[in-house]
């Protein structure tokens, strides 16, 4: 949970160049019998922690932003995410 009187969670664009080595390395360990669908990751105090998400763990009727909001709430509480305006410098997924 966030500490202090924060009223929102500031969106931070991921540094995909720095994260690509860790996430691609993790993805490369994939078991040939099981395909991964998503990676959930958290960087806290300089430590990278990841959880692999499989298709059977995802509600096919659910929206990806709903999944994101549930994951964010688990780590940071029920506060709105304050996103910057979308522009060329914000990664698109």
């Amino acid at each position: 949970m966030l500490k202090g009187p924060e009223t929102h969670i500031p969106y931070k664009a991921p540094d995909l160049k720095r994260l690509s080595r860790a996430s691609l390395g993790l993805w490369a360990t994939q078991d040939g019998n099981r395909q991964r669908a998503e990676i959930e990751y958290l960087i806290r105090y300089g430590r990278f922690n990841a959880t692999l998400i499989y298709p059977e763990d995802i509600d096919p009727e659910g929206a990806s932003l709903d999944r994101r909001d549930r994951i964010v709430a688990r780590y940071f509480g029920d506060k709105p995410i304050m996103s910057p305006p979308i522009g060329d410098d914000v990664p698109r997924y």
Side-chain angles (χ1 to χ4, degrees), residues 5-81:
E6 293 88 355
T7 59
H8 67 277
I9 301 164
Y11 174 83
K12 301 286 186 179
D15 183 343
L16 297 177
K17 288 181 182 178
R18 290 184 65 200
L19 291 175
S20 65
R21 175 177 273 170
S23 61
L24 289 175
L26 184 60
W27 203 263
T29 64
Q30 182 162 300
D31 178 345
N33 299 322
R34 240 176 139 195
Q35 294 294 320
R36 295 181 180 110
E38 296 180 350
I39 296 176
E40 172 187 318
Y41 67 88
L42 176 69
I43 301 170
R44 181 177 274 170
Y45 306 116
R47 295 191 61 181
F48 177 86
N49 293 303
T51 302
L52 302 172
I53 310 297
Y54 296 92
E56 62 268 19
D57 298 326
I58 297 173
D59 177 2
E61 301 297 319
S64 63
L65 288 178
D66 292 338
R67 286 194 304 276
R68 181 202 66 179
D69 290 346
R70 284 193 302 274
I71 292 165
V72 169
R74 183 172 16 158
Y75 291 106
F76 301 106
D78 191 21
K79 297 177 182 176
I81 299 170

